Amino acid sequence: AISCFCIGTDQVDLQAAQAKGIPVFNAPFANTRSVAELIIGNIVGLSRKIGDCTATMHRGGWFKQAVGCYEIRGKTLGLVGYGHIGSQVSVLAEAMGMNVLYY
């Protein structure tokens, strides 16, 4: 069997799979929460400049200041799309004290 853990099966040659008797299915909502958590993690990482701090540390430096780093509580997050992933991101963001706007 071929499993597509996403929306749709466009990446699979369905005719070839059918000709060989291979079932193809998708599970479009299987990764919804994982994706939402990854998005929240990236928001926190970007607001705290974790990437910059890591790069500095790998060069032998130590970033001791919090200049330009922010908490996400009280910030506003804009979401374009409020489907399964967007709605889960909203739940997590609001739980962390963010204001959420969506379109």
Side-chain angles (χ1 to χ4, degrees):
I2 298 173
S3 305
C4 302
F5 294 98
C6 56
I7 301 293
T9 55
D10 295 347
Q11 69 276 21
V12 177
D13 185 340
L14 296 176
Q15 290 179 345
Q18 184 178 19
K20 294 184 182 209
I22 301 171
V24 178
F25 66 93
N26 74 323
F29 312 118
N31 296 327
T32 298
R33 186 64 177 214
S34 296
V35 172
E37 289 178 6
L38 179 62
I39 292 167
I40 293 296
N42 284 332
I43 291 170
V44 171
L46 289 168
S47 69
R48 300 292 177 98
K49 296 187 175 187
I50 291 175
D52 294 340
C53 293
T54 300
T56 299
M57 189 171 58
H58 280 279
R59 290 190 304 269
W62 183 249
F63 190 73
K64 299 178 186 179
Q65 303 176 42
V67 175
C69 298
Y70 304 96
E71 292 183 355
I72 63 171
R73 183 185 62 218
K75 301 294 187 266
T76 299
L77 174 65
L79 299 173
V80 177
Y82 201 71
H84 293 282
I85 293 171
S87 61
Q88 285 296 303
V89 170
S90 174
V91 167
L92 295 172
E94 288 176 341
M96 296 184 78
M98 295 186 81
N99 303 309
V100 178
L101 305 174
Y102 65 92
Y103 176 79

